[in-house]
Amino acid sequence: MKTSGISLSGVTKTYAGGVLAVNHVDLEIDDGEFMVFVGPSGCGKTTLLRMIAGLEDPTEGSIVIGNSDVTHARPQERDIAMVFQNYALYPHMTVRENLSFGLKLRKVPKDERARRVLEAANMLGLEQLLDRKTAALSGGQRQRVAIGRAVVREPAAFLMDEPLSNLDAKLRVSMRASLARLHERLAVTTVFVTHDQVEAMTLGERVTVLRDGTIQQIDTPQNLFNAPANLFVAAFIGSPAMNLVEAVVEEGQIRFAGYELAVPPGRDIPRGRVVLGIRPTDFEHAAGADPVLPRIKVRPEIVQEVGAESHVLFHIDAPPVMAEAVQAAAQHEAEEHTILVDTRRAEFTAQVDSRVHVVPGEEVELAVHSAGLHFFDVQSGHAVGGGVSSSAGSPSGASSQEHGATTLPS
């Protein structure tokens, strides 16, 4: 049986002029695993994928696919199939001809080509389109053909570089579901590159978070959310983003911006200054919350009603966290998420049930699920005091360590 795990050892890429794109990456991708590389633009995720594909040569390190060292092998010798952001289809050919073209070049027998093409078309809902020219297809249909062309190869691994980024929002959701079903059916090792953390969290069995060519954390989506290894991962993963503020821990209390919360039971938080993180989902309107939860009073400035939930935006009387890692994580989505511009006070978001009406400008009391609080060292940015228990949000209840989490300095 063909094995298709991917092993990277010390993989580094330095371009002319000393530009370090990928910095000593060690990574084990299991046979049949769906692994996602995610991070902001310029973090090295596409360069890393291209080195696995053989489109770029590593400056240092080794790459193994299955049982073969392919570090210096040509792309066609690696038994992989790639799906790109641009569909790279032949517009003058039919869907059937596009699907079979690569097989024809490899001199696959005609009957075998027909079998593979029909099987891929059935998987991807292309049966009715086989005799249409790809130039006449919609964007979503073209992307399915591009994926189908990879599927018919029956490779050891699929490598996908931002394959959904040209699709509209609704179609991207549909295609994510299709990719998940396809992977479940084929169980082929898949490496998927995206800058969209929602895409990463919904598709990946594990996710590799990259920054400046360096791995920040490798873990399941749930554990990345529940137990980020450092400030960069905390700020990058989650939408709306985690609220961050400097706080002081002393005598069992967390003090920030005039508020005071008790240190969660069982958490060994060091005394002194820390960066406190609160997920928007760990706020709740006090009217319907458990009375034992601590409360804070805030004055909302903007209320965004998003279906079943409302995003309540407010400032607190403490400066925003300006750590380099936080700025790097927020930079790629700055225009989308920075609504209340105030360089002196931190902007917070609470995600509450929209059935409880919140009025901008009127004081509201929010309950805080303090068991979900996150803490980070002010200097290094590393998480301290243990992560949030994943048993609260993960079906398996397994810890990051049990899932083989890998963390490196921020």
Side-chain angles (χ1 to χ4, degrees):
M1 183 177 178
K2 184 191 300 185
T3 59
S4 59
I6 299 172
S7 177
L8 309 180
S9 180
V11 172
T12 299
K13 181 66 178 181
T14 306
Y15 288 107
V19 177
L20 184 62
V22 174
N23 185 14
H24 201 89
V25 165
D26 295 318
L27 178 61
E28 297 290 333
I29 302 171
D30 295 335
D31 191 4
E33 182 176 20
F34 198 122
M35 172 66 80
V36 177
F37 294 167
V38 69
S41 297
C43 71
K45 55 189 182 295
T46 293
T47 302
L48 192 56
L49 187 82
R50 288 174 62 83
M51 286 192 285
I52 296 172
L55 301 175
E56 298 265 7
D57 291 324
T59 309
E60 298 175 23
S62 64
I63 300 169
V64 174
I65 300 177
N67 298 319
S68 302
D69 187 326
V70 298
T71 309
H72 302 294
R74 294 178 299 170
Q76 57 267 37
E77 297 170 336
R78 298 188 180 211
D79 197 14
I80 53 94
M82 284 201 73
V83 181
F84 296 96
Q85 179 177 347
N86 56 342
Y87 314 129
L89 302 176
Y90 299 104
H92 63 286
M93 292 185 182
T94 65
V95 170
R96 189 189 308 275
E97 289 167 338
N98 267 277
L99 292 176
S100 63
F101 185 72
L103 300 179
K104 193 173 182 179
L105 289 180
R106 291 173 180 81
K107 298 183 170 24
V108 174
K110 187 175 181 180
D111 289 348
E112 177 67 6
R113 293 202 308 266
R115 180 194 68 77
R116 292 194 195 181
V117 166
L118 188 58
E119 190 173 90
N122 288 336
M123 283 184 198
L124 294 161
L126 296 170
E127 311 98 304
Q128 306 303 315
L129 305 175
L130 283 171
D131 296 315
R132 288 176 60 178
K133 298 283 181 68
T134 56
L137 302 181
S138 68
Q141 290 169 334
R142 290 180 192 179
Q143 191 55 281
R144 279 188 281 155
V145 176
I147 293 168
R149 195 170 53 183
V151 169
V152 298
R153 286 274 315 280
E154 297 183 358
F158 293 129
L159 307 181
M160 301 190 179
D161 187 11
E162 302 263 13
L164 309 184
S165 60
N166 286 339
L167 306 179
D168 62 52
K170 186 175 181 180
L171 198 50
R172 287 180 76 159
V173 172
S174 172
M175 282 301 300
R176 286 202 299 264
S178 296
L179 279 174
R181 287 194 298 268
L182 186 66
H183 181 259
E184 186 176 348
R185 182 168 178 176
L186 297 177
V188 173
T189 305
T190 302
V191 183
F192 186 102
V193 163
T194 181
H195 68 277
D196 183 339
Q197 53 105 358
V198 174
E199 205 161 88
M201 299 289 275
T202 52
L203 277 174
E205 292 177 305
R206 284 193 303 158
V207 177
T208 299
V209 183
L210 290 144
R211 177 195 174 202
D212 295 338
T214 301
I215 292 176
Q216 301 294 301
Q217 188 170 355
I218 308 168
D219 215 326
T220 63
Q222 193 68 52
N223 283 332
L224 286 176
F225 186 84
N226 282 334
N230 56 44
L231 274 173
F232 177 82
V233 178
F236 188 83
I237 297 295
S239 183
M242 183 185 289
N243 303 298
L244 297 166
V245 65
E246 278 203 25
V248 174
V249 176
E250 56 186 4
E251 298 174 351
Q253 299 295 309
I254 309 155
R255 299 185 176 94
F256 66 101
Y259 301 115
E260 190 169 295
L261 300 172
V263 172
R267 303 284 294 281
D268 184 19
I269 313 302
R271 290 169 58 90
R273 290 169 58 232
V274 295
V275 175
L276 169 67
I278 309 176
R279 290 279 183 204
T281 47
D282 282 327
F283 286 113
E284 185 178 355
H285 196 291
D290 187 328
V292 304
L293 293 175
R295 264 77 168 152
I296 65 172
K297 290 182 179 179
V298 304
R299 195 172 296 277
E301 293 160 71
I302 294 176
V303 178
Q304 300 173 321
E305 295 190 359
V306 190
E309 62 196 33
S310 293
H311 295 172
V312 179
L313 282 72
F314 57 93
H315 281 109
I316 62 171
D317 290 325
V321 174
M322 300 302 291
E324 183 185 355
V326 175
Q327 301 305 305
Q331 186 175 5
H332 73 297
E333 292 182 335
E335 292 184 2
E336 180 180 346
H337 292 294
T338 303
I339 296 173
L340 306 174
V341 180
D342 188 335
T343 58
R344 299 164 302 166
R345 298 186 300 158
E347 176 188 322
F348 266 42
T349 301
Q351 190 170 310
V352 302
D353 192 325
S354 63
R355 290 173 294 186
V356 182
H357 194 51
V358 178
V359 179
E362 292 186 7
E363 188 176 74
V364 63
E365 190 172 51
L366 298 174
V368 183
H369 290 264
S370 55
L373 298 180
H374 300 263
F375 302 89
F376 305 91
D377 182 85
V378 171
Q379 298 302 321
S380 70
H382 291 298
V384 295
V388 181
S389 171
S390 62
S391 59
S394 170
S396 67
S399 70
S400 297
Q401 288 72 24
E402 288 170 327
H403 278 286
T406 299
T407 60
L408 281 86
S410 60

